[in-house]
Amino acid sequence: MSNRLVPILLTLTLTPFLQAFTVGDEKPAAEKIPLRSVKNESFKRGEVLRFRLHYGIIDAGTAEVSVMEENKILHDRNTFHVVGIGKSIGAFDPFFKVRDRYESYIDEEAIAPVVFIRRVDEGGFKINQEQVYDHDTQKVMSNGKYFDIPAYTQDMISAFYYARTLDMSNAKVGDEFSLKSFIDNEIWELKIKFIGRETIKTDVGKVRCLKFRPIVQKGRVFKKSEDLNVWISDDKNHIPVRAQADVLIGSVKMDLTSYSNLANPLSLE
């Protein structure tokens, strides 16, 4: 399993870090821009989403993504603190042990990342990454190095939350949505294509969903560029309900198993 797979399927002592890494020590790459205001009716503090991951017929792991109750003020602005945790379970655990933790502090009004922390341990492969974003100057500092970024570039976690705020009410089959994300010190343009509406049976009941097909990079994880399908709830929450992918060494499926503190009622039948 790739170190990108868990965050894709979901699109997981900070004060000393912030004191040591503060964007602004270098000259800005661009003039300051006023931060945008994004209408957010999709999530709120206290929301928790839990998922089970299957690798073929094996229960391979669990994932939990939480919007913490706290409101940490960063750069004089309110933030959402999102924590994502993924781990392997059962028979899969001794074979390929996964212990991943992702954190994102997201500007509450702009729905754009301020701080991103990534701690990956997958089968002995480890990543320790810290990023600080400055959307005024369009820069990000990643592990001490500065990079220029387009306005409102997302991290791996905030991209998911920003996408949830998009208005899908008038989406037509074939419509594409895109956003830019900073992954492994590169700018990635993430594109998703609207496939249609489906009602699917899940552990939480029958859920009316919007089906999307992210256009992913083939060859590294996926056999083809359209091997990943995602179902999100057809309501204002836009929570992921299912993700299914054919990968180079099998198939992976992620299902919603429980949820709490949603901002809106879930679209159950």
Side-chain angles (χ1 to χ4, degrees):
M1 293 176 73
S2 162
N3 62 298
R4 287 200 183 101
L5 190 53
V6 171
I8 287 173
L9 294 178
L10 166 197
T11 35
L12 324 161
T13 62
L14 186 65
T15 300
F17 166 72
L18 291 174
Q19 290 171 343
F21 299 99
T22 303
V23 172
D25 293 335
E26 293 189 353
K27 293 183 179 180
E31 293 183 2
K32 286 191 175 184
I33 57 173
L35 289 184
R36 69 187 177 190
S37 180
V38 174
K39 184 179 181 181
N40 172 31
E41 298 179 318
S42 298
F43 61 91
K44 63 181 182 179
R45 290 179 180 83
E47 178 191 270
V48 180
L49 306 175
R50 296 183 178 90
F51 303 90
R52 180 175 57 251
L53 283 81
H54 311 272
Y55 186 68
I57 61 173
I58 302 172
D59 284 348
T62 60
E64 179 177 300
V65 188
S66 305
V67 184
M68 310 304 287
E69 293 284 0
E70 69 175 323
N71 173 21
K72 190 172 187 67
I73 308 298
L74 298 177
H75 304 305
D76 298 320
R77 295 175 66 87
N78 297 328
T79 64
F80 292 111
H81 180 197
V82 178
V83 177
I85 297 174
K87 63 180 181 179
S88 52
I89 60 172
F92 199 83
D93 194 50
F95 172 69
F96 194 90
K97 186 175 181 179
V98 174
R99 296 293 186 271
D100 291 351
R101 181 181 178 93
Y102 295 80
E103 294 186 60
S104 183
Y105 286 80
I106 305 170
D107 186 288
E108 184 173 349
E109 186 174 357
I111 313 298
V114 182
V115 172
F116 174 68
I117 302 171
R118 184 182 180 195
R119 300 286 183 258
V120 165
D121 187 347
E122 297 181 355
F125 176 78
K126 297 183 179 182
I127 294 177
N128 294 299
Q129 192 173 61
E130 298 90 13
Q131 297 170 356
V132 179
Y133 289 77
D134 188 334
H135 299 282
D136 286 332
T137 61
Q138 297 179 37
K139 277 186 174 291
V140 59
M141 189 184 62
S142 178
N143 285 10
K145 295 182 179 180
Y146 286 85
F147 298 85
D148 295 327
I149 56 173
Y152 305 117
T153 296
Q154 302 289 334
D155 65 39
M156 300 170 81
I157 295 296
S158 67
F160 159 59
Y161 284 88
Y162 173 69
R164 289 175 60 183
T165 69
L166 299 177
D167 183 4
M168 306 290 185
S169 57
N170 296 316
K172 297 180 177 62
V173 173
D175 285 352
E176 289 189 4
F177 302 84
S178 66
L179 58 87
K180 288 181 171 58
S181 184
F182 187 73
I183 302 175
D184 293 338
N185 295 341
E186 296 180 13
I187 301 296
W188 289 60
E189 186 170 11
L190 307 177
K191 295 182 178 180
I192 56 174
K193 181 187 295 185
F194 180 52
I195 304 301
R197 289 175 168 81
E198 292 183 5
T199 298
I200 62 174
K201 187 176 181 180
T202 74
D203 286 356
V204 301
K206 291 184 177 180
V207 186
R208 295 188 300 276
C209 292
L210 305 171
K211 183 180 179 180
F212 289 90
R213 183 168 295 152
I215 309 302
V216 297
Q217 186 178 16
K218 63 181 179 180
R220 285 181 145 181
V221 178
F222 301 97
K223 297 177 183 177
K224 295 182 292 185
S225 62
E226 297 187 350
D227 270 347
L228 172 61
N229 290 288
V230 177
W231 291 258
I232 68 171
S233 60
D234 189 6
D235 50 38
K236 288 185 177 181
N237 300 301
H238 291 158
I239 64 171
V241 176
R242 174 170 296 162
Q244 192 164 350
D246 293 324
V247 297
L248 292 175
I249 52 174
S251 62
V252 177
K253 182 179 178 183
M254 183 180 78
D255 279 320
L256 179 71
T257 57
S258 68
Y259 60 89
S260 59
N261 296 318
L262 298 184
N264 309 278
L266 188 62
S267 55
L268 296 171
E269 284 195 352

